Amino acid sequence: MSEQREPITPVSPPGSNNSGHVAIEAAGFAPSAQEQQSGIPAWQLYVGGFVIVAAAIFWFLFTTKSVQITFTPAAQSVAISGGLSFELGGVFLLREGQYEVQAEADLHEPLKTTIEVAQERYQSIDLPFIPLPGELQLDITPADAEVEVDGVGVAAKAGEMLTLAAGEHDILVRHPRYQSSKQTVQIEGKRIVQALNIALLPNWADVEVSSDPAGAMVLIDGEDSGLTTPTTIAAMAGEREISLELDGYRTHRERIFAQAQLPMTLDTAQLVQADARLRLTSRPAGAGVTVNGRFTGQTPITLDLKSGVAQRVAVILNGYSTYQRTLRLERGAKSDLNVDLTRQLGEVVVQVVPETAKLSVNGVERGNANQTLRLPISAQQLSISLPGYAGYTQTITPRVGLTQEIKVKLLTLEEARLAALTPTINAASGQTLRLFEPFAFKMGASRREPGRRANETLRDVAMSRLFYLATTEVTNAQFRQFASGHDSQVYAETNLNEAQAPAVNLSWHDAAAYCNWLSDRDNLPHYYRIEFAKVVGINPQATGYRLPTEAEWEWAARAGTSTTEEQLRFPWGRSLPPPDRHGNYADRSASHLVGRVIFGYNDNYSAAAPVGTYRANHKGLFDMGGNVAEWTNDFYEIPGKDAVSNPQGPAAGEYHVIKGSSWMHGTITELRYSFRDYGIDARADVGFRIARNAES
């Protein structure tokens, strides 16, 4: 018997139609609570930030040097700029480089200086303060004495204050009638007032003078003292002549040696009645007088002569004809003789080109320069001038009976400007620089030249500014005078640190800083404006040391000695390969250091060679090709085709032009003089040479 089942009626879900099919509807999405929490939790962000900060701090601590800066005396405030710094108990954590330190201490000048942090882990730097000036109160006797401080006269009077720098000073006090006094004083500074009393000792002797008969006029060294015997006169220290004159008597003369502050008493002079007297004067005065060949003194002079006898009187003065006369005076005669001396003349012939130049003698115009002069036989200053030309001055001493000639060719102002410049100069650090007068040439390369790159635009360049350029690249020894800790490093086990090897592994800013340092050594104005070890501007008119412009560098390397000579393509000529041992390029010994070498070439050095090892170029410059490439002053750009004059490169940029091949270069592109590289950071094959403007 079968079981009967009731039919199952399907239940339609909401939204279904009568046919029993279910309708599909869109539904909004809402993430579950678990899905909403799947983002990075906040604590992980905090931990990540802490790790980054800790890593930065660890990096700073790991790369810094411990620098103990000791101030004398202790500083009240200290500020260090130029980079990140941190102080721990008087020890500063600083990274390698230059920093500016500013500090202050009571009663001392504010301190502002630059320090160099080297590679050593622990360093110590002593920085002394300079005390503020002090005051010195002078009490001087006599009050009108002259005062010099350290060789310089000062307008100081008794009781006045002098403001002097702290330290040792030499004080010299002098007066014509007193013995000079020189004392060394130690000025404490710090506005402290010190006193100095100086009383000069008399520089004369009191001399008692008497005569028989009395009433004779007393003269000292020919000058009337205004006193008559008997009297006491003040004779300045040294050898003196005392003369006594009384009408009707011969002049009494006596030479004495006066010693300061030591009184003297002269024996009574017994005056002798005179036969005759001659008062002799000359124009000019100061001529020597002889009587019968015996020197008697200088004019003006009074002579006591024997009467009735011929006396031969001569008046002699250098540069003048000697005056001679024989006199016979009557007994008791008093005569005056006034002599006008005649100048002796010498002949000077002046010949000048151009002929229109003018002449002056001792500042007095004499007309056309081409003439024959008769001039006194003493030093004469001749000046020759002509508008548009540099003047000429010469001092000449004419000679009696001898004709002298002066031949002068005046230089134009431009010729004189060039003649005034020194052909070579030597920098304080040892480099020699040669003077160059450039001319127009072509920079860059033709598009058809093998190896040419797109940045070597061919263009005409006019060059007119004279400049000096160093004959060699700056060496490690020379650069270490500026930065003693400089390391040119080791490249692939090859040492680049030899003293006479070119300094490398230095940035463009390092090279510019060296130039400013060297300008200080030679007392020249800075070419570069540097702030916080970076160049922020230039003074293009300054005559201080700088890097050569790209145009100067390429002219010195490529251009011949005149505009008609063909320019060089390579340092050795216009085609490859170079002659053996011509320069330091990528030779076969450098194959383990670089990728491309010059096949079969050998220069005896796998890396950098001592500067000047190879022959100089046609301008006397060494290593303009090979050894190391060189920084130039210009910012890098791809130049246009337009002609330019004395180009300085763009006014701003990120990179600087690098010129010349190096010991790493061995391809046709790199070995050409028109090859242009660029950069700003240090490289193992990039150094530099220095230049200077010849004129501001």
Side-chain angles (χ1 to χ4, degrees):
M1 186 173 171
S2 63
E3 181 179 353
Q4 293 184 350
R5 299 182 180 180
E6 295 181 0
I8 298 174
T9 304
V11 179
S12 300
S16 61
N17 54 26
N18 292 333
S19 63
H21 296 287
V22 178
I24 299 175
E25 296 182 355
F29 172 77
S32 66
Q34 182 177 358
E35 289 175 328
Q36 290 179 348
Q37 296 177 359
S38 63
I40 299 175
W43 69 268
Q44 292 185 7
L45 294 175
Y46 295 143
V47 170
F50 175 79
V51 170
I52 292 173
V53 172
I57 294 173
F58 178 78
W59 171 83
F60 175 75
L61 294 175
F62 182 76
T63 59
T64 55
K65 319 297 180 184
S66 296
V67 182
Q68 183 175 16
I69 304 179
T70 303
F71 296 93
T72 306
Q76 270 71 50
S77 64
V78 179
I80 297 180
S81 56
L84 190 61
S85 65
F86 186 73
E87 181 184 6
L88 290 173
V91 176
F92 293 84
L93 299 181
L94 301 170
R95 301 190 70 236
E96 185 177 347
Q98 285 188 339
Y99 294 83
E100 184 177 275
V101 178
Q102 299 185 44
E104 294 183 354
D106 290 340
L107 299 178
H108 289 76
E109 300 283 358
L111 175 67
K112 183 177 181 180
T113 188
T114 299
I115 64 172
E116 182 78 27
V117 177
Q119 293 179 321
E120 291 79 6
R121 185 63 177 170
Y122 301 99
Q123 302 171 47
S124 178
I125 298 175
D126 295 326
L127 297 178
F129 283 98
I130 298 175
L132 292 173
E135 304 287 337
L136 180 65
Q137 182 174 2
L138 288 176
D139 187 3
I140 303 171
T141 304
D144 60 342
E146 296 179 352
V147 179
E148 286 186 4
V149 178
D150 298 329
V152 179
V154 296
K157 298 180 180 179
E160 286 191 353
M161 290 281 193
L162 291 177
T163 301
L164 299 176
E168 201 172 79
H169 296 275
D170 291 328
I171 309 295
L172 174 65
V173 181
R174 60 187 175 189
H175 190 280
R177 294 184 57 81
Y178 291 80
Q179 298 179 43
S180 297
S181 174
K182 185 174 183 180
Q183 298 188 27
T184 299
V185 297
Q186 185 70 34
I187 300 300
E188 297 181 37
K190 306 177 188 177
R191 301 197 180 97
I192 295 173
V193 178
Q194 298 170 247
L196 180 63
N197 300 322
I198 299 178
L200 299 183
L201 298 175
N203 196 35
W204 67 81
D206 291 328
V207 181
E208 293 185 16
V209 184
S210 59
S211 67
D212 183 17
M217 182 172 62
V218 182
L219 296 85
I220 302 179
D221 295 334
E223 294 185 5
D224 187 358
S225 67
L227 303 172
T228 58
T229 59
T231 188
T232 299
I233 61 173
M236 298 302 296
E239 188 176 2
R240 303 289 173 222
E241 182 181 77
I242 305 296
S243 302
L244 303 180
E245 294 184 0
L246 184 63
D247 286 345
Y249 293 84
R250 294 181 182 179
T251 300
H252 173 83
R253 293 184 175 85
E254 185 174 350
R255 298 201 71 81
I256 66 170
F257 188 83
Q259 299 182 58
Q261 305 181 74
L262 185 63
M264 300 178 65
T265 300
L266 302 183
D267 294 338
T268 300
Q270 300 297 321
L271 302 182
V272 178
Q273 208 165 15
D275 281 348
R277 176 172 291 175
L278 176 65
R279 189 176 297 276
L280 179 59
T281 61
S282 68
R283 189 167 56 187
V289 178
T290 65
V291 178
N292 298 326
R294 183 175 62 88
F295 179 77
T296 58
Q298 292 181 321
T299 59
I301 190 173
T302 299
L303 300 172
D304 294 314
L305 303 176
K306 190 174 182 178
S307 62
V309 179
Q311 309 281 345
R312 190 176 72 255
V313 178
V315 183
I316 305 166
L317 184 62
N318 187 36
Y320 292 80
S321 298
T322 299
Y323 173 89
Q324 297 188 65
R325 183 174 177 179
T326 300
L327 302 173
R328 186 186 299 270
L329 301 179
E330 297 295 328
R331 185 176 179 81
K334 295 180 180 179
S335 299
D336 290 327
L337 179 59
N338 300 314
V339 177
D340 284 329
L341 298 175
T342 302
R343 275 268 191 173
Q344 290 181 306
L345 302 177
E347 190 172 86
V348 179
V349 178
V350 182
Q351 299 177 359
V352 180
V353 176
E355 296 181 352
T356 53
K358 302 298 180 183
L359 171 70
S360 64
V361 179
N362 298 326
V364 178
E365 294 184 2
R366 301 289 290 265
N368 188 279
N370 290 278
Q371 56 178 295
T372 298
L373 304 169
R374 289 185 58 79
L375 301 173
I377 57 171
S378 58
Q380 308 290 319
Q381 186 180 72
L382 278 61
S383 299
I384 302 170
S385 61
L386 183 65
Y389 289 79
Y392 175 85
T393 299
Q394 180 177 341
T395 299
I396 188 172
T397 301
R399 295 286 183 266
V400 176
L402 176 66
T403 299
Q404 300 182 69
E405 292 186 350
I406 296 179
K407 296 182 179 181
V408 177
K409 181 181 183 302
L410 295 182
L411 301 177
T412 66
L413 296 178
E414 178 65 16
E415 290 170 337
R417 179 177 69 89
L418 297 178
L421 294 173
T422 305
T424 60
I425 57 176
N426 295 312
S429 56
Q431 291 101 318
T432 297
L433 292 86
R434 299 189 64 180
L435 176 66
F436 291 105
E437 183 182 4
F439 45 78
F441 78 117
K442 287 186 179 293
M443 288 183 67
S446 166
R447 290 185 177 182
R448 295 185 298 274
E449 182 172 298
R452 178 190 183 273
R453 298 176 67 186
N455 64 0
E456 300 172 23
T457 309
L458 188 65
R459 58 206 184 277
D460 290 319
V461 178
M463 300 285 286
S464 61
R465 291 196 62 178
L466 279 71
F467 68 97
Y468 286 99
L469 185 63
T471 58
T472 59
E473 295 155 339
V474 175
T475 66
N476 283 312
Q478 291 163 348
F479 193 79
R480 286 173 187 143
Q481 295 178 39
F482 160 64
S484 59
H486 174 69
D487 181 10
S488 285
Q489 301 181 13
V490 173
Y491 185 84
E493 299 183 358
T494 301
N495 185 19
L496 305 179
N497 271 312
E498 295 297 333
Q500 295 307 311
V504 294
N505 277 312
L506 45 86
S507 70
W508 184 90
H509 291 282
D510 294 333
Y514 174 88
C515 291
N516 273 11
W517 166 82
L518 190 54
S519 296
D520 288 336
R521 290 280 305 274
D522 282 344
N523 296 315
L524 297 171
H526 286 180
Y527 185 84
Y528 297 102
R529 288 190 292 109
I530 297 178
E531 296 179 2
F532 306 118
K534 298 295 183 182
V535 176
V536 297
I538 63 170
N539 178 9
Q541 304 306 316
T543 55
Y545 294 102
R546 58 174 174 82
L547 299 172
T549 66
E550 182 183 5
E552 289 170 342
W553 193 100
E554 192 161 335
W555 179 88
R558 298 189 66 185
T561 55
S562 68
T563 55
T564 59
E565 287 188 28
E566 187 178 17
Q567 292 183 183
L568 295 173
R569 179 178 298 172
F570 300 100
W572 54 88
R574 294 193 58 82
S575 60
L576 284 169
D580 219 22
R581 294 179 179 82
H582 175 274
N584 187 14
Y585 313 108
D587 68 346
R588 60 193 181 193
S589 68
S591 59
H592 65 293
L593 301 176
V594 298
R596 295 283 298 276
V597 298
I598 305 173
F599 179 75
Y601 179 71
N602 179 36
D603 56 39
N604 288 343
Y605 286 91
S606 59
V611 299
T613 296
Y614 305 95
R615 182 182 301 175
N617 73 354
H618 55 293
K619 293 189 176 72
L621 304 174
F622 295 90
D623 299 321
M624 292 298 285
N627 219 15
V628 295
E630 300 175 15
W631 290 116
T632 69
N633 193 65
D634 298 25
F635 283 110
Y636 175 78
E637 69 172 356
I638 297 179
K641 299 179 181 179
D642 295 338
V644 290
S645 176
N646 297 314
Q648 301 287 317
E654 181 178 1
Y655 301 105
H656 287 272
V657 176
I658 299 172
K659 290 294 292 182
S661 53
S662 77
W663 57 268
M664 284 189 174
H665 293 149
T667 68
I668 189 172
T669 293
E670 299 160 336
L671 294 172
R672 293 171 309 110
Y673 268 143
S674 59
F675 173 64
R676 304 175 75 230
D677 202 350
Y678 60 91
I680 191 170
D681 295 324
R683 272 175 34 187
D685 70 327
V686 175
F688 70 103
R689 74 179 68 222
I690 56 174
R692 268 184 60 184
N693 292 330
E695 303 165 302
S696 59

